[in-house]
Amino acid sequence: MHSTKKTKATLDRHLLLPDTLNEAAVRYNSFLLDYCQTSVSALSGSAAGIIGLTGLNGFVFYLICSIFLSIIILLYLNDSIKLYFTSKKSIITANLWSGIQTYLLFWTFLYGMVHVY
Amino acid sequence: MAELLLDSKIRFWVFLPLMAITFLVGIIKHYLFIFMSNDKTVDKQQLTDSQALLRSRLIRENGKYLPKESFLMRKNYFTNEDSGFFVKQKRQSTVKNPMSDPKAMTEMLKGNFLNMIPMVVIGGWINWAYAGFLCTKVPFPLTFRFKPMLQKDVNLVSLDASWVSSASWYIINLFGLRSMYNLVLGENNAADQTKAMQDQMSGAALSMPDDISKAFKAENESLTITEHKWLLKGIEQSFLN
Amino acid sequence: MSTTNLEKIKNWNDAGSQLRTWRDDNVRMSKETLDLWSTYIAPSINRLGDEKWLVYEQVFLAALDCQNLTIAEDCLAALKAQFSSSKRVKKLFAMKYEAIEDYQKALDIYDSILEEDETNAHVLKRKLACLKAQNRINEYVKELNEYLKLFQADHEAWLELCDVYLSEMDFAKAAFCLEELILMYPHNHVYQQRYADIKYTQGQYDLAKTYYLYSLKLNPKNVRSLYGLLLTTANLKSSQKSKEGADNSKLNLWAREELDKKYKEVDSDRNLMNSVNDMFQYLAIGKAEK
C-alpha cells in the first residue's frame, strides 16, 4: 500500500513539474511580488531615514519590515499559495534581497535630508 | 573623528537635484525608447532560420510528450545526415559588418545613444559641476575599503568612510532607482512585455543570433544527442491505483 | 458575463473600458461593440484621447463583421486622415474589400504591402483568409503549408491547418499538426484531447487512451476526454485479453463512474441520467455482440 502511494506521487511530480507553469503568469506574479517589495522598502527606508536610525538598527528595521511583508503575503495567500508560487521560501528570500538597494537609497536620502545638515 | 558640518545650501542645490535628475533622466529615457523604437522588418531568410531554431528547441524540450515515431520523424527532418534541415541549409556566415548595413547601424546607434549618451553626459556634467562636494553621510559605519567607492574625487585620508561625495551619490542613485522605475513605469513595462510576447508568437521580433550557421550547428548537435523518453508511458498506473 | 456587465454601462467611460477589455482579451463581440459605439462612444469619441485610434480600428472590424458598411467607412476615413501612409490602415482598406467580396482588389493591396514588408504575418494571414473565403481549399492548403515553412512556430497556423485537414478527413496530417501544437503547449488539455480524438478515429486505441488519460490528468473536468476514455477502453477491452484487458476494464469502469458523478451534479431530475445510462448499456451490448 505504502509503495503504491509513493509511485503515484513521483509519477505525478514528473508529469506535472516543472514546466507545467505558465511562464507569463510566473513572470507576472514575481513582478507583483517585486512591486510590493519595492514599495515596502521605499517606505520603510523613508521611515528609517526620518526617525534617524543609524547603524545596525536600520538593518534590523529593514529585516523586520521585510519579514512583516512576507508574513502578510503568506497570510493573504493562505492556502492558495501553491497556485501562485512554487515555494514559500522563495517568496521570503527573493523579497529580502531585491529590496535592499532601494531601502539603502531611501534611508540614506532621507537621513541626509533630515539629520546631516 | 570630528563631526563635519555641511552647508545646508548643498542640500537644496546638490543633494536633492542629483536625485531628481537621475530619476527624471531614467523616465525620459524610457519614453524616448518607446518613441524611437519602430517596427522592425525582418527578411524571409532570417525569419525562417529563427523559427526553425525555435521549433527545434521545442522539440528538444517537449518531445517527451509525443509518441516515439512522431518525435523521430521531426528529429530526422532537422538532423538527417544527408537531407536534414540543419545540414542542408548552408548559410554564409552572416556576421554582418555593421558599417555596410545602414539599417543595423542606425539600430545600434539608437541603442548606444539611449544607454551611453545620458550616462556620459550627465556623469560628465556632474563631475564638472559638483566635483569635490561631500553631500551626505550614510547612516551606518563602513570600513575604509568603501572609501574609493563612496568618496570619488574627495581624497582625504582621515575622513570617515561613511561620508558620500556628490559623484558617488549620483552612482548610488543610478543603481538604487532601478527598481523604482519598475514601480513608477510598472504598467508600461508590463505592457511592453506582453507586446514582446505577442510579437514572439507571430514570430515577428525574434532576436537573431549573430552567426546563423554556428547556431544551426549547435542546435543540430544538441538535437542529435536528444534521446526520446516518453513521459506518458505508464500513465494508466497513476489512475489505476 | 457580458449581459450583466453591459447593463451597468451608463456613459462613454464605462463603454470605453469595456471595449478595452474586449480588445485586450481578443473577444469578438461585434454586435455589442457596435451598440456601444453608436450609443456611447461615437458622440464623445474625442474624450478617449489617443486611445480613439485603437477604438476606431476595433469598431471598424466589428462593423465589417456585421456588414455595417456606413460605420466602417466612417472609422476608416478617420484612420486614413490620421495615418495616411500606415500599412495597418492599408490592411484595413483591403479588409473592407474582402467584406464586400471584391477579393481581387483586396489581394492587390495585400501584395503591395508585402512588397515593402515581405514577412508581415498579419497580411500573409489575410491573404490566406481570402483563399478560404472563396472556398479554394486546395490552394488554401498549399499556401498555408508555404506559410508554415516560413513561420514554423506559429501555433495559430498549425491549428488552422489541422482543422482544414480534419474537414478533408486527412487524419494522419491533422495528427501531425496537433503534434506540433502539443510541442508548443504540452499542458493544454484540449490539444491533448483532440490528438486523442484523432488517434481514436484512426483506430490507434492505445495511443488514444494514453492521451485521453493525460488530458484528464491536466483537467479532470474534461467530459469529452472521459467519454473518449470510455470508448477507447471499451474497444480495447474486447480486443485484448490478459492483464491489460483487466486494466482497461478498470479504467472503463472508472470513466463511467466519473461520468455518472458529473451527470448527477448537473441533473437533479435524472432525465439525462437515464438516457446516458441507456447509452452505456447500448455501448456494452454493442461490444458484446462483436
Side-chain angles (χ1 to χ4, degrees):
Chain A
M1 187 63 206
H2 183 74
S3 67
T4 54
K5 249 185 185 170
K6 201 177 164 195
T7 49
K8 191 186 173 192
T10 48
L11 204 86
D12 281 358
R13 201 171 312 133
H14 100 137
L15 277 173
L16 293 177
L17 275 178
D19 40 3
T20 28
L21 305 171
N22 181 342
E23 218 171 286
V26 170
R27 216 179 310 138
Y28 185 67
N29 284 344
S30 66
F31 168 76
L32 284 185
L33 206 61
D34 212 50
Y35 195 99
C36 297
Q37 180 60 29
T38 313
S39 318
V40 165
S41 21
L43 286 175
S44 60
S46 311
I50 291 170
I51 56 179
L53 295 177
T54 50
L56 207 58
N57 288 344
F59 289 104
V60 171
F61 184 67
Y62 171 66
L63 220 64
I64 291 171
C65 286
S66 201
I67 288 171
F68 181 68
L69 173 70
S70 302
I71 289 172
I72 296 245
I73 290 176
L74 289 179
L75 282 182
Y76 176 69
L77 288 175
N78 213 356
D79 293 333
S80 53
I81 188 160
K82 280 241 162 64
L83 278 176
Y84 303 106
F85 298 102
T86 42
S87 75
K88 286 182 187 177
K89 220 172 107 193
S90 75
I91 295 180
I92 299 169
T93 49
N95 267 349
L96 272 183
W97 285 116
S98 65
I100 191 117
Q101 269 185 344
T102 320
Y103 178 79
L104 282 180
L105 181 78
F106 275 84
W107 185 19
T108 314
F109 175 62
L110 276 146
Y111 180 79
M113 289 297 284
V114 178
H115 294 279
V116 170
Y117 296 97
Chain B
M1 234 158 276
E3 195 58 33
L4 285 181
L5 209 60
L6 297 180
D7 190 342
S8 67
K9 275 181 188 161
I10 291 181
R11 172 163 47 177
F12 291 111
W13 294 103
V14 182
F15 187 58
L16 201 63
L18 271 180
M19 190 159 177
I21 286 168
T22 343
F23 187 67
L24 291 178
V25 164
I27 298 212
I28 290 171
K29 214 159 92 179
H30 174 81
Y31 284 110
L32 261 185
F33 197 75
I34 291 177
F35 176 69
M36 284 172 76
S37 61
N38 47 0
D39 326 336
K40 282 180 221 151
T41 53
V42 200
D43 71 67
K44 259 185 184 166
Q45 189 72 69
Q46 275 186 343
L47 190 87
T48 324
D49 293 349
S50 63
Q51 294 261 315
L53 285 173
L54 191 66
R55 185 161 160 234
S56 154
R57 196 179 52 106
L58 283 171
I59 291 167
R60 266 191 298 131
E61 282 171 4
N62 295 334
K64 53 187 183 232
Y65 294 100
L66 291 188
K68 185 152 193 166
E69 304 90 81
S70 313
F71 174 79
L72 289 179
M73 181 161 66
R74 284 172 175 76
K75 186 172 163 180
N76 189 47
Y77 169 71
F78 279 116
T79 64
N80 185 300
E81 277 172 29
D82 303 320
S83 57
F85 183 86
F86 287 144
V87 184
K88 210 172 55 185
Q89 307 274 332
K90 285 276 176 269
R91 305 270 185 272
Q92 66 273 43
S93 182
T94 48
V95 191
K96 271 183 222 147
N97 183 2
M99 295 305 162
S100 65
D101 185 357
K103 235 194 204 163
M105 206 163 88
T106 45
E107 280 299 312
M108 224 173 68
L109 259 180
K110 258 187 224 165
N112 282 346
F113 185 77
L114 282 170
N115 284 320
M116 294 306 296
I117 302 290
M119 283 271 274
V120 172
V121 169
I122 309 275
W125 174 65
I126 280 161
N127 258 335
W128 171 74
Y130 297 121
F133 281 105
L134 283 181
C135 71
T136 188
K137 188 184 173 186
V138 288
F140 42 90
L142 284 172
T143 55
F144 276 84
R145 211 173 275 180
F146 286 93
K147 273 183 79 98
M149 200 177 95
L150 288 179
Q151 294 171 7
K152 254 182 100 182
D153 46 57
V154 176
N155 298 314
L156 287 177
V157 183
S158 59
L159 193 64
D160 184 2
S162 50
W163 289 96
V164 181
S165 77
S166 49
S168 301
W169 175 238
Y170 168 68
I171 290 167
I172 292 174
N173 271 311
L174 213 57
F175 288 104
L177 283 175
R178 256 187 213 160
S179 47
M180 284 305 288
Y181 295 137
N182 268 343
L183 202 71
V184 177
L185 306 170
E187 249 177 294
N188 280 327
N189 286 356
D192 286 353
Q193 255 175 19
T194 48
K195 192 173 159 275
M197 255 159 46
Q198 274 168 5
D199 282 349
Q200 213 168 47
M201 276 171 192
S202 65
L206 282 172
S207 62
M208 280 301 300
D210 293 335
D211 188 345
I212 197 74
S213 56
K214 247 187 216 159
F216 269 12
K217 220 175 146 200
E219 188 63 42
N220 188 11
E221 274 166 18
S222 35
L223 188 60
T224 311
I225 57 168
T226 308
E227 291 291 328
H228 181 255
K229 191 172 164 239
W230 201 28
L231 249 192
L232 307 187
K233 198 175 177 191
I235 191 176
E236 303 97 291
Q237 294 308 319
S238 70
F239 281 88
L240 285 172
N241 290 327
Chain C
M1 131 207 156
S2 53
T3 46
T4 49
N5 274 352
L6 283 181
E7 278 160 16
K8 275 187 208 152
I9 290 171
K10 291 279 182 291
N11 56 27
W12 64 272
N13 203 0
D14 299 344
S17 56
Q18 181 64 64
L19 286 185
R20 197 175 312 128
T21 3
W22 284 341
R23 209 161 52 227
D24 291 345
D25 299 346
N26 263 331
V27 183
R28 194 170 180 169
M29 307 272 269
S30 300
K31 186 162 182 313
E32 291 81 353
T33 306
L34 282 192
D35 288 346
L36 286 182
W37 164 259
S38 39
T39 26
Y40 300 108
I41 306 269
S44 45
I45 177 76
N46 285 323
R47 289 197 189 171
L48 285 172
D50 278 344
E51 199 190 349
K52 72 176 170 182
W53 307 115
L54 290 174
V55 171
Y56 272 131
E57 190 185 22
Q58 185 184 13
V59 172
F60 170 77
L61 295 176
L64 289 191
D65 266 352
C66 302
Q67 281 288 318
N68 191 334
L69 288 179
T70 31
I71 291 183
E73 289 287 356
D74 291 347
C75 295
L76 199 55
L79 284 168
K80 175 82 182 162
Q82 175 72 11
F83 309 100
S84 52
S85 62
S86 155
K87 281 179 231 158
R88 197 157 150 183
V89 175
K90 255 193 199 169
K91 190 192 90 185
L92 297 184
F93 262 98
M95 285 176 81
K96 191 193 77 191
Y97 285 120
E98 271 187 68
I100 55 175
E101 298 186 7
D102 191 345
Y103 296 109
Q104 199 47 50
K105 261 188 183 157
L107 284 174
D108 287 345
I109 296 177
Y110 291 140
D111 283 333
S112 76
I113 301 175
L114 287 176
E115 263 170 36
E116 286 172 49
D117 180 8
E118 56 177 357
T119 53
N120 192 325
H122 299 287
V123 174
L124 285 168
K125 280 184 181 170
R126 284 319 313 168
K127 273 184 79 175
L128 289 171
C130 281
L131 286 178
K132 195 183 184 188
Q134 296 171 79
N135 209 15
R136 287 148 69 177
I137 293 298
N138 284 337
E139 283 167 76
Y140 179 56
V141 171
K142 211 178 115 231
E143 289 294 318
L144 198 52
N145 273 305
E146 284 300 313
Y147 174 86
L148 277 168
K149 270 184 198 152
L150 255 170
F151 293 90
Q152 292 191 30
D154 185 339
H155 82 279
E156 281 176 358
W158 284 112
L159 189 59
E160 177 64 27
L161 188 61
C162 172
D163 283 344
V164 180
Y165 278 136
L166 279 183
S167 68
E168 303 281 296
M169 309 263 186
D170 196 339
F171 296 114
K173 283 178 179 162
F176 185 92
C177 300
L178 264 177
E179 280 165 8
E180 288 299 326
L181 290 167
I182 289 176
L183 279 178
M184 277 178 247
Y185 299 98
H187 307 301
N188 184 329
H189 68 102
V190 179
Y191 292 156
Q192 308 284 354
Q193 168 237 309
R194 286 187 75 180
Y195 186 62
D197 287 347
I198 293 175
K199 287 291 163 196
Y200 176 80
T201 318
Q202 285 182 301
Q204 301 180 17
Y205 298 127
D206 272 317
L207 267 181
K209 184 182 75 180
T210 310
Y211 281 91
Y212 278 131
L213 283 172
Y214 185 48
S215 91
L216 282 171
K217 182 131 225 158
L218 293 172
N219 178 11
K221 289 180 187 154
N222 190 335
V223 174
R224 193 183 164 99
S225 286
L226 281 174
Y227 271 118
L229 186 62
L230 192 76
L231 289 173
T232 38
T233 44
N235 272 303
L236 284 168
K237 196 167 62 172
S238 58
S239 59
Q240 282 174 342
K241 302 279 175 268
S242 77
K243 188 186 168 293
E244 279 172 45
D247 280 358
N248 284 326
S249 34
K250 250 193 208 168
L251 284 174
N252 186 288
L253 204 67
W254 177 78
R256 216 181 129 166
E257 279 165 7
E258 286 294 304
L259 280 170
D260 235 30
K261 263 190 242 161
K262 292 251 154 32
Y263 277 104
K264 268 181 200 147
E265 275 168 27
V266 291
D267 183 48
S268 49
D269 59 8
R270 307 188 65 81
N271 276 337
L272 250 172
M273 278 291 295
N274 290 335
S275 55
V276 170
N277 272 329
D278 285 350
M279 191 188 62
F280 285 153
Q281 219 108 57
Y282 169 77
L283 273 174
I285 293 165
K287 286 304 147 201
E289 276 174 358
K290 266 185 192 169

